[in-house]
Every structure is written in structure tokens, then in C-alpha cells.
Amino acid sequence: MLWLTYRQHRMQLLITAGLLVAVGIVLLVNGNAAADSPAPAKLFADLYQYLSWLQVVPVAIGVFWGAPLVAAEFERGTTKLAWTQSISRFHWLGVKLGLLAVLATLGGLAFGAMMQRWVAVFPTDRGDTDFTSRFDNPVLFAMTGVAPGAWWLFGFVLGTAAGALIRKTLPAIAVTIAVSVGLMIGVSNVRDHYAEPRLVALGTEPVGRVVEMIRDAAGEITALKILPADWYWRFQWTEAAILTGVSLLLAVAATFAIRRRS
């Protein structure tokens, strides 16, 4: 069953692996050049304008990996063959969903690790702007650390659940795109609420992102509420846990969908 799953989805797997290798080479070349450059900010900006588009990779994973997984089987009528053999429909879905979910997560983690290493070449004390901060830049936050692994997993399972519920590939793709993009926008707007901001007295140098200014009755600023920069990993694991939990719920929904679609 594992070999069959690989054979059926090897094209998506090979294309994704090729993408990771290509991105890794580009990041390595750019990072090595920036490490010895007196003006690394330009090298960062030149590549970032293209790399920022890679935040939509989870959507592509949902579209090309997830949506056709079950929906295409329904459309071709091959479920009638696959589910009448010695392997039950739950075993069939479990192997396919489990194997590809693990590979999607590992791919996302590899991408996040490469991006993490690349961004580390551009510390702010070399004259670069705060735009290179993994914590302050929402695009870099979603593409570094463990968050990409959770986003890739979510995209894949969302596409699978949409395909299992709708049973048509194109509508499942449309739903996957709409929900994925909507959630990305929504999460970027609520990310600052993962933890209660720290209150810092005015006059103290804030090490982090200012999210609110506290004013007295006269309107004078007396304190700041900040999200410390060292909370980066705390927020990373929080986002990963939320997305993993949602992915598990979607996997359960896909399982119940194929159970009632007999």
C-alpha cells in the first residue's frame, strides 16, 4: 500500500522535492554572498521579493496533493474497486493520508529550516532593517521555524477533507484555495494575541514589537505593551499546535466523509 501510494503521487512528491532543492541552492548562494557583502540589505531585498511568494506553498500543497487524493478517486469511480478489496476504506485512507501528511510536514520543516538559516545571515546590527526580523515580519514568521511544517500539513489535510466531502476535484480545489488564503490572512491578524503583551514603563528601551501605548488621563504616554522578540519560538509552537489541531479535526472529517459515501 505504501509503494502504491508513492507510485500514484510520485509526480507531486518529485516536483516538491525539486522545489526544495532549488530554493535551498538559491538561499545558499545568496546567503554566502551576503555574508561577505558590505551592503547585505540589498541582497536580502532582491531575493525576498521573490521568496515572499512562497508563503502560498501550503495552498499549492492542498491543491495538488490534497484535493485530488479522494475526489479524483470518486470521479474516476475507482473507489468501487479499491474499497471492495481486502483493504478497507479506512485502511486505504489512513495509509495515503498518513504517509503524505508526514511527507508534507517534513517538507515544510525542511523549508522552514532553510529559510531560518538564510535570515540569520542578515542581523540588524549589520545595518539591515528590522524588515529582516522573523518575529516582526509576518511573512518571514510563517516561512521560518516550525510554522511551515504545520502550514503545509494543514494545506494538505484541508484539500483532502474538501475532496472527501465534495467528491469533485475542481470544487474541492476552489474551497481549498479560499479557506487556506482566508485562514492565512486571519491568522496574521490575530497572531499578536497568542500571549498577553508585557507592560514596559516609558523610558525603558523596548526589546520587541510595540502593540499598544498606554496613556494617562491627559493623553500622555506612560507605558508600552510589547511582545518581546525572544517570544518568537513561543509563538511558533503556539501556531504550530493550533494548525496541527485543526488538521486533526479535518482528518476526522475526511474519515467520516468516506464512511457515509458508500
Side-chain angles (χ1 to χ4, degrees), residues 69 105 135 143 148 156 260 262:
L69 185 69
T105 303
F135 191 47
M143 294 198 301
F156 167 67
R260 69 182 181 85
S262 56

Side-chain angles (χ1 to χ4, degrees), residues 8-240:
Q8 289 180 324
H9 304 281
R10 63 180 180 273
M11 185 58 67
Q12 296 100 310
L13 296 174
L14 291 174
I15 290 174
T16 304
L19 172 66
L20 287 173
V21 171
V23 170
I25 292 174
V26 170
L27 292 177
L28 181 62
V29 171
N30 180 270
N32 286 338
D36 300 323
S37 172
K42 184 179 185 304
L43 290 171
F44 174 89
D46 288 345
L47 184 56
Y48 175 79
Q49 64 179 323
Y50 300 106
L51 287 179
S52 59
W53 287 97
L54 293 180
Q55 65 182 309
V56 302
V57 169
V59 181
I61 294 293
V63 168
F64 296 107
W65 285 38
L69 185 69
V70 179
E73 299 281 359
F74 276 120
E75 289 181 328
R76 293 192 298 259
T78 49
T79 54
K80 296 177 182 178
L81 173 64
W83 295 347
T84 55
Q85 305 303 308
S86 59
I87 297 176
S88 70
R89 65 183 64 190
F90 301 110
H91 184 189
W92 177 89
L93 180 64
V95 172
K96 281 177 166 284
L97 186 60
L99 175 62
L100 295 176
V102 169
L103 292 177
T105 303
L106 291 176
L109 291 174
F111 175 74
M114 291 190 300
M115 288 292 296
Q116 186 98 350
R117 181 67 186 89
W118 176 68
V119 174
V121 178
F122 303 92
T124 56
D125 60 5
R126 292 186 60 200
D128 303 321
T129 67
D130 290 338
F131 192 61
T132 62
S133 170
R134 296 168 300 163
F135 191 47
D136 295 336
N137 185 332
V139 174
L140 287 180
F141 182 91
M143 294 198 301
T144 57
V146 296
W151 275 111
W152 286 35
L153 171 65
F154 167 77
F156 167 67
V157 180
L158 171 63
T160 302
L165 290 165
I166 301 173
R167 297 196 295 173
K168 297 291 184 181
T169 302
L170 289 180
I173 287 175
V175 169
T176 300
I177 294 174
V179 175
S180 298
V181 174
L183 187 66
M184 286 179 175
I185 296 172
V187 167
S188 66
N189 288 328
V190 303
R191 190 173 283 141
D192 287 351
H193 300 286
Y194 286 168
E196 185 67 23
R198 180 177 293 170
L199 190 65
V200 176
L202 192 63
T204 303
E205 182 66 26
V207 182
R209 182 165 70 255
V210 177
V211 294
E212 185 180 349
M213 298 180 181
I214 307 299
R215 300 177 183 272
D216 58 18
E220 296 293 330
I221 299 174
T222 58
L224 302 173
K225 285 188 176 182
I226 69 166
L227 295 174
D230 58 7
W231 283 7
Y232 167 79
W233 283 109
R234 176 179 178 179
F235 277 46
Q236 279 277 316
W237 287 110
T238 299
E239 186 156 308

